[in-house]
Amino acid sequence: YTTSVIDTVIGVNAAGCTETTVLNITINVGGGCTDSLASNYDSLATCDNGSCIYPLPYTPIFFSEYGEGSSSNKYFEVYNPINDTIDLLNYAFARVINAPSTIGVYEHWVDFSAGAVILPNDVFIVAHPSASATILAEADMTYSSLSNGDDGFALIYGSEPGSPVGPAVGGYAIMDWIGDFNGDPGSGWNVAGVSSATANHTLVRKCDITQGNTSWSSSAGTSTSNSEWIVMPSNDWSDIGQHTTPCQQVPGCM
């Protein structure tokens, strides 16, 4: 019989990763995508091999209104700030129930209805299926597990990971918040200095807000002046189905 010696060649590829070649098969040692913003981020990779894949730029839609009223009178509203129709195929919302199973990570991921879009400078409303007829008349989608005031919701761009993980590992982006995933707030989160405002109130985003906020504490604020929200009484749906932005100019002596 005949024996042969197979050479093993170790080198460095164009991306700077170590390569081992055996039988003309090249193996990257420790190579992978090391950018946590990429959708295929590899936390075990020790060298970036140029394989990172980035999601398409998303349009900054945001929560424009939220209602948590009596009985099942619950809804949230998402606003499209641009002059083009937005397909919601790559968008979703995620939530936790009271205290999250893992701090900072969602428990339930919900895709928008198939074919859902938001028309230019218009809103998309997700409502409880047993909500008031006034709310349902404006609803574009129904979902039965909306917040009782202490359930955090995030507006998301990206695809659902195989299991609940954070954005860096899951390859998705959080665009906006109502509440957060950091723990049970009690009855609800304080907003604009109002205690437990996410329970038994309606929240309307101020007219000068033009995009979401990845910090809920900053969005909620501590007073009427530094909050991004106006806190309305329970069951006040007078603004549902519309969002005012930019702010209307009021002429007069200043």
Side-chain angles (χ1 to χ4, degrees):
Y1 62 91
T2 302
T3 61
S4 61
V5 177
I6 302 172
D7 291 332
T8 298
V9 180
I10 299 177
V12 177
N13 67 14
C17 295
T18 302
E19 292 180 342
T20 300
T21 302
V22 180
L23 286 177
N24 294 323
I25 299 174
T26 300
I27 303 171
N28 285 325
V29 180
C33 176
T34 60
D35 188 345
S36 62
L37 296 178
S39 58
N40 63 330
Y41 167 65
D42 184 354
S43 61
L44 300 179
T46 58
C47 177
D48 196 304
N49 62 5
S51 66
C52 293
I53 300 172
Y54 296 92
L56 294 173
Y58 55 79
T59 301
I61 59 177
F62 59 91
F63 290 122
S64 53
E65 190 164 329
Y66 159 89
E68 201 288 310
S70 60
S71 187
S72 297
N73 294 317
K74 309 172 190 295
Y75 66 94
F76 66 78
E77 180 183 274
V78 179
Y79 179 67
N80 170 10
I82 67 171
N83 294 322
D84 292 317
T85 297
I86 297 175
D87 188 336
L88 292 177
L89 175 64
N90 294 316
Y91 297 83
F93 58 93
R95 69 182 180 93
V96 299
I97 304 174
N98 303 322
S101 301
T102 302
I103 296 297
V105 176
Y106 71 90
E107 294 175 323
H108 303 278
W109 178 292
V110 185
D111 291 317
F112 288 101
S113 302
V117 299
I118 313 181
L119 297 177
N121 307 121
D122 202 356
V123 296
F124 186 95
I125 295 172
V126 178
H128 192 285
S130 299
S132 160
T134 302
I135 295 174
L136 291 178
E138 299 288 347
D140 299 286
M141 172 181 172
T142 58
Y143 178 66
S144 60
S145 296
L146 293 177
S147 179
N148 291 321
D150 55 0
D151 307 317
F153 276 74
L155 186 60
I156 286 175
Y157 178 83
S159 300
E160 181 178 7
S163 60
V165 291
V169 176
Y172 61 89
I174 293 179
M175 306 173 65
D176 203 7
W177 292 99
I178 296 175
D180 56 39
F181 298 162
N182 297 329
D184 190 344
S187 298
W189 284 272
N190 300 342
V191 180
V194 178
S195 179
S196 298
T198 53
N200 302 310
H201 291 89
T202 296
L203 307 181
V204 177
R205 210 69 175 263
K206 290 180 177 178
C207 59
D208 59 348
I209 303 303
T210 58
Q211 63 182 27
N213 193 330
T214 56
S215 168
W216 167 246
S217 60
S218 174
S219 173
T222 57
S223 67
T224 55
S225 60
N226 65 21
S227 176
E228 294 184 358
W229 299 88
I230 300 170
V231 181
M232 308 290 286
S234 178
N235 297 335
D236 184 337
W237 314 311
S238 57
D239 196 59
I240 191 172
Q242 60 183 345
H243 180 60
T244 300
T245 188
C247 299
Q248 296 179 353
Q249 300 296 318
V250 179
C253 177
M254 299 176 61

